[in-house]
Amino acid sequence: MLFFVIACLVPSFFISFLATAAMRKLAPRWGLIDQPAQRKMHLTPTPLGGGVGIWLGVIIPIVCAQLIAFVIVKSDLDPSWIPAELLPHLEGVLYRSGQLWLVLAGGTILAVMGLLDDKLNISWKPRLIIQLLVAGGLVWGGIRGTLFIQQPWIGMLLTVAWIIVLVNSLNFLDNMDGLTSGIGLIAAVLFALIMLRYTGEPRWLVAGILLVLAGSIAGFLCHNWPPAKIFMGDSGSYFIGLILSTMTILGTFYPGESSDGETVINRHVILAPLCILAIPLYDFCTVMIIRLKEGRSPFHADKSHFSHRLVELGLSKRDTVLTIHLATLTTGIGGLILYEVSSWNAALLVMLMILCVLSIVTILENVGRKNRE
């Protein structure tokens, strides 16, 4: 397993690191510059387009992995350098490559749209329409959740909603150096850990994509850590959001466990993604409510986010980012604990802990809002 983890993380890290370094030079020539403004936190013009580095850090390793799997399966090459536990899954990788490339195609569409938005400042309405079309196309292509619901159309609608909400929640959070990239990295690592450790048999394909994403985000984060030398822009946040949302759908979170010859499914583990992503989902919902309550467009950028409230309380930008990262890690660990308990009563205690963390966030937000008023 160590070979698998390293093979996923290291190439994607270096590709993303180098591609992002190149974008730092190219972005100003292409007019991809984020200028300081009243609603923004940075004080100097900063290159955009770091999402291109993240995209390349994911696409190139996956293309190479697919080619390697294809050559080994279709030829007589000696695969002895590949760990024995991975060999039986190579054909499965090729079998599911259709779904994989459907996801990457959807992510590419959103990344291109985000890059155009970074350049041209596209209205939120066409962006939302494209997001809905991409999410609908993915669901039509078979990427959908069931959530133990018998009616397929309900699962399809919930899947579209999950993709749209997560894509936009990570986009909304991209308002401070290293914030969305750090949260994306934490979420990708925790989801990959679940796929490798807590699902009975390892889910190699989904875990591999998540680890590749984690490595790519880490390579970008080297340039984006406060003070940021480049921003990922909408292209990066949309791409990360789509990969995370679809992998949580394709990944199996509720494994069957054998007990006295009977199969027992601990269905409470379906709450794990909500725990891991509790902070970005909370921020998205509260910001939407605030904007609608004030009669503004829910997609109109402002300083209503949790991160802005912490800065208003006197925290530095770096401390604010670290605080939100730690809050995300705390709720994420709660998601892992769900796999260590076997009853709904214990799971409810974990969810109570998550609610306590979100309540602390709410208190800090309200204090920050009062200070600003």
Side-chain angles (χ1 to χ4, degrees):
M1 187 174 292
L2 180 61
F3 171 87
F4 176 77
V5 172
I6 293 174
C8 292
L9 287 175
V10 174
S12 59
F13 173 87
F14 282 109
I15 291 171
S16 176
F17 179 85
L18 295 174
T20 303
M23 283 303 299
R24 287 174 56 182
K25 304 293 184 181
L26 295 173
R29 302 178 188 176
W30 296 344
L32 291 170
I33 296 291
D34 195 3
Q35 299 291 344
Q38 184 178 1
R39 66 175 179 80
K40 298 181 179 180
M41 300 300 294
H42 62 287
L43 302 176
T44 58
T46 304
L48 288 164
V52 174
I54 296 174
W55 180 82
L56 288 172
V58 171
I59 295 294
I60 293 177
I62 291 178
V63 169
C64 293
Q66 285 269 296
L67 290 175
I68 291 172
F70 179 82
V71 170
I72 290 177
V73 171
K74 301 298 182 180
S75 69
D76 296 327
L77 291 180
D78 181 17
S80 59
W81 57 277
I82 296 179
E85 59 184 343
L86 295 179
L87 285 175
H89 300 279
L90 293 181
E91 291 190 6
V93 169
L94 296 180
Y95 176 77
R96 298 189 65 184
S97 61
Q99 282 190 330
L100 170 59
W101 287 107
L102 182 62
V103 169
L104 294 178
T108 300
I109 292 172
L110 293 188
V112 171
M113 180 188 71
L115 200 62
L116 292 174
D117 182 44
D118 292 335
K119 173 71 174 178
L120 305 174
N121 194 22
I122 303 172
S123 171
W124 66 269
K125 293 179 181 179
R127 283 185 285 142
L128 182 59
I129 291 173
I130 293 175
Q131 290 173 14
L132 287 169
L133 290 175
V134 169
L138 292 173
V139 171
W140 188 262
I143 298 170
R144 65 191 69 157
T146 59
L147 300 177
F148 307 110
I149 299 173
Q150 296 298 324
Q151 293 80 5
W153 65 270
I154 296 179
M156 295 171 69
L157 289 177
L158 290 175
T159 300
V160 170
W162 174 251
I163 293 173
I164 296 298
V165 168
L166 197 54
V167 164
N168 284 288
S169 65
L170 289 176
N171 178 251
F172 279 21
L173 265 179
D174 191 26
N175 55 63
M176 205 165 287
D177 300 352
L179 185 52
T180 289
S181 50
I183 289 176
L185 176 60
I186 292 169
V189 170
L190 291 177
F191 283 132
L193 180 60
I194 289 175
M195 293 296 106
L196 292 174
R197 169 68 176 80
Y198 291 102
T199 55
E201 293 185 0
R203 316 295 179 180
W204 296 107
L205 180 61
V206 175
I209 296 170
L210 289 165
L211 288 173
V212 168
L213 178 65
S216 184
I217 295 174
F220 165 78
L221 191 55
C222 293
H223 301 274
N224 187 239
W225 188 251
K229 306 298 189 299
I230 188 172
F231 298 151
M232 70 170 66
D234 289 349
S235 60
S237 59
Y238 287 157
F239 184 73
I240 293 172
L242 186 84
I243 299 300
L244 286 178
S245 62
T246 51
M247 289 306 106
T248 54
I249 294 166
L250 291 177
T252 302
F253 286 90
Y254 40 91
E257 297 179 358
S258 178
S259 176
D260 297 328
E262 297 181 359
T263 299
V264 179
I265 298 179
N266 295 321
R267 295 189 174 185
H268 59 261
V269 300
I270 197 67
L271 299 173
L274 295 178
C275 294
I276 294 173
L277 297 167
I279 296 298
L281 291 174
Y282 168 89
D283 185 76
F284 174 80
C285 292
T286 55
V287 167
M288 294 283 282
I289 292 172
I290 291 171
R291 292 173 181 174
L292 290 173
K293 186 177 179 181
E294 295 178 353
R296 294 183 287 111
S297 166
F299 291 91
H300 177 73
D302 56 20
K303 289 188 176 182
S304 300
H305 298 274
F306 178 39
S307 54
H308 297 134
R309 307 302 182 193
L310 291 180
V311 171
E312 289 165 2
L313 286 174
L315 274 69
S316 68
K317 296 176 184 177
R318 184 188 295 263
D319 288 342
T320 294
V321 170
L322 287 173
T323 298
I324 298 176
H325 286 175
L326 287 172
T328 301
L329 187 59
T330 301
T331 62
I333 291 173
L336 297 183
I337 294 174
L338 288 175
Y339 286 87
E340 302 292 347
V341 299
S342 57
S343 69
W344 270 104
N345 288 336
L348 290 176
L349 289 177
V350 174
M351 299 308 296
L352 181 61
M353 180 189 74
I354 304 299
L355 289 176
C356 288
V357 173
L358 295 180
S359 297
I360 294 173
V361 171
T362 301
I363 292 171
L364 293 174
E365 276 198 321
N366 288 334
V367 172
R369 189 173 297 112
K370 290 178 181 178
N371 285 350
R372 187 176 67 171
E373 295 173 352

